[in-house]
Amino acid sequence: QKEVEQDPGPLSVPEGAIVSLNCTYSNSAFQYFMWYRQYSRKGPELLMYTYSSGNKEDGRFTAQVDKSSKYISLFIRDSQPSDSATYLCAMSGTGGFKTIFGAGTRLFVKA
Amino acid sequence: GAVVSQHPSRVICKSGTSVKIECRSLDFQATTMFWYRQFPKQSLMLMATSNEGSKATYEQGVEKDKFLINHASLTLSTLTVTSAHPEDSSFYICSARAGLAGVGNEQFFGPGTRLTVL
């Protein structure tokens, strides 16, 4: 079993839809949870960074962490064609803990 | 967010030559830098972790004599692909972190370097 599981998609939605992206994990030591967006042939860009359980909102993006279920989500409201990219979840523990990345979900938002 | 640059963005070289890729943290001091490799439509594969002033820690299966990493300062790490061969062609991405994993110590990625070995 991988430490982090993420459905690679692709996920195709119409413009304006609410997008839900998810990851599950197995290591209860993870405390820091991140979402990155990566456009084709570019480096990943940090979108959201959360600590422990709870929600965090930034514009059209909401990150949720449920540590009891070992499940994290990223919601994108009013999705736009420019949101079309690969979204990677990532998580880490404290100290010198390595960051573990999900496989990435490819999202296509159709105009 | 913090800015990480990478140079060159693209390089094409002949088989057998060595290629150096630079990774710089522009507005923060990076205690730790990471080097990743990414194949088309696949996720990031961590190659090695480097801490300023010490030897890099390589992931299993990564040849340290082939992929030389130097983290000489808190703002610069270099990856040298020695005697490159066509199978080394890939997208190489670095990332930098200010300290140990923790609040405010996110990893920030560079834009990547596309290496093509003929």
Side-chain angles (χ1 to χ4, degrees):
Chain A
Q1 182 190 10
K2 291 182 181 179
E3 280 193 281
V4 177
E5 298 276 1
Q6 184 177 12
D7 188 336
L11 178 62
S12 184
V13 301
E15 183 176 359
I18 297 175
V19 176
S20 174
L21 303 167
N22 311 292
C23 288
T24 59
Y25 63 95
S26 57
N27 192 336
S28 58
F30 290 141
Q31 295 190 56
Y32 306 101
F33 304 92
M34 293 143 282
W35 285 95
Y36 289 86
R37 176 176 62 194
Q38 185 177 23
Y39 291 112
S40 181
R41 302 191 179 196
K42 301 289 184 183
E45 170 195 10
L46 182 65
L47 278 179
M48 301 289 279
Y49 180 83
T50 52
Y51 172 69
S52 195
S53 286
N55 294 359
K56 184 175 184 179
E57 187 174 322
D58 184 0
R60 295 186 295 112
F61 299 91
T62 299
Q64 286 186 352
V65 175
D66 182 348
K67 289 190 72 180
S68 62
S69 302
K70 297 189 179 66
Y71 188 88
I72 69 170
S73 301
L74 177 70
F75 297 96
I76 306 174
R77 290 182 298 280
D78 188 26
S79 57
Q80 303 295 310
S82 59
D83 294 327
S84 299
T86 296
Y87 290 80
L88 298 127
C89 64
M91 42 201 82
S92 179
T94 55
F97 216 106
K98 195 183 302 183
T99 299
I100 308 297
F101 287 85
T105 299
R106 295 182 69 202
L107 172 66
F108 296 96
V109 181
K110 301 172 291 185
Chain B
V3 180
V4 176
S5 70
Q6 239 178 285
H7 178 79
S9 58
R10 176 176 287 190
V11 59
I12 301 173
C13 69
K14 292 182 179 180
S15 185
T17 60
S18 293
V19 175
K20 180 185 281 189
I21 303 170
E22 290 188 351
C23 177
R24 292 181 186 273
S25 56
L26 297 185
D27 51 2
F28 68 102
Q29 293 187 324
T31 307
T32 308
M33 285 186 168
F34 306 86
W35 286 96
Y36 294 84
R37 187 171 178 177
Q38 188 175 37
F39 293 102
K41 299 184 180 180
Q42 295 189 27
S43 190
L44 305 167
M45 184 189 82
L46 179 65
M47 298 175 66
T49 302
S50 75
N51 294 294
E52 186 266 339
S54 62
K55 289 184 179 181
T57 302
Y58 290 81
E59 295 299 302
Q60 192 172 12
V62 178
E63 299 176 60
K64 59 182 179 182
D65 294 331
K66 180 162 188 64
F67 299 99
L68 301 179
I69 292 171
N70 184 287
H71 192 160
S73 77
L74 285 171
T75 59
L76 173 65
S77 177
T78 60
L79 167 68
T80 302
V81 183
T82 61
S83 186
H85 288 93
E87 59 265 29
D88 299 323
S89 299
S90 190
F91 192 51
Y92 292 87
I93 313 175
C94 73
S95 72
R97 191 174 68 195
L100 297 177
V103 175
N105 282 338
E106 305 93 304
Q107 271 189 46
F108 295 96
F109 284 84
T113 297
R114 182 158 302 281
L115 170 64
T116 303
V117 184
L118 303 176

